[in-house]
Amino acid sequence: MPHAALDQPSAWVARFLGLVPSGGRILDVAAGGGRHTRLARARGYTATVVDIDVAGLGELRADPDMEILAADLEAGVWPLGERRFAGVIVTNYLHRPLVPLLVAAVADGGALIYETFADGNQAFGKPSNPNFLLKPGELLDAVRGHLTVVAYEHGKIETPRAAVVQRIAAVRAAVGTIPRPSS
Ligand SMILES: C[S@@+](CC[C@H](N)C(=O)[O-])C[C@H]1O[C@@H](n2cnc3c(N)ncnc32)[C@H](O)[C@@H]1O
């Protein structure tokens, strides 16, 4: 999937990472260069990274608190089995059959933070294939009955480039604490 400006963490992830219980393990799905794993490690979390290509993880590969899995997430076999994580982070990646598994991978008290391109992005470039674009309310539908929504947005953003995105932060708890925008 084409992308831009993937060196800095997503502001959405940075804002809602605090929903993940302190010191817990995050699962960074289709992690790419590991920008969110790097952020999570800096905030005291441990991390499991899964991507079909883990070559871009740089210094993270030498981190003893890291677990790195090279796996094809679209091959029909979920590589994490029944494991549960304090945080599940997904950005700029969508393979629809995985979404229920990602929701299920959130441990009790943990959080799902998901942000990717959405319906309407066709007007701004790629991805334009509907397979890679969330439908209105799709992440809300995915977590309904499983997680409690703390925040949800679907709309146009201007940075790092004009695009339409959908994003959710949800917890496996009755109530999540809303982080301040600057935290
Ligand atoms: C646009 S990048 C997003 C990277 C990261 N989540 C971020 O936002 O910085 C998409 C990532 O999905 C990974 N990916 C694509 N197809 C995959 C597959 N079948 N299995 C596992 N990872 C895959 C790519 O290797 C790439 O790292």
Side-chain angles (χ1 to χ4, degrees), residues 1-3 6 28-36 50-53 71-75 90-93:
M1 182 185 297
H3 54 88
L6 292 187
D28 191 350
V29 178
R35 61 186 174 137
H36 296 123
V50 60
D51 199 291
I52 198 168
D53 177 3
D72 183 352
L73 292 167
E74 299 171 20
V90 196
T91 58
N92 296 346
Y93 180 75

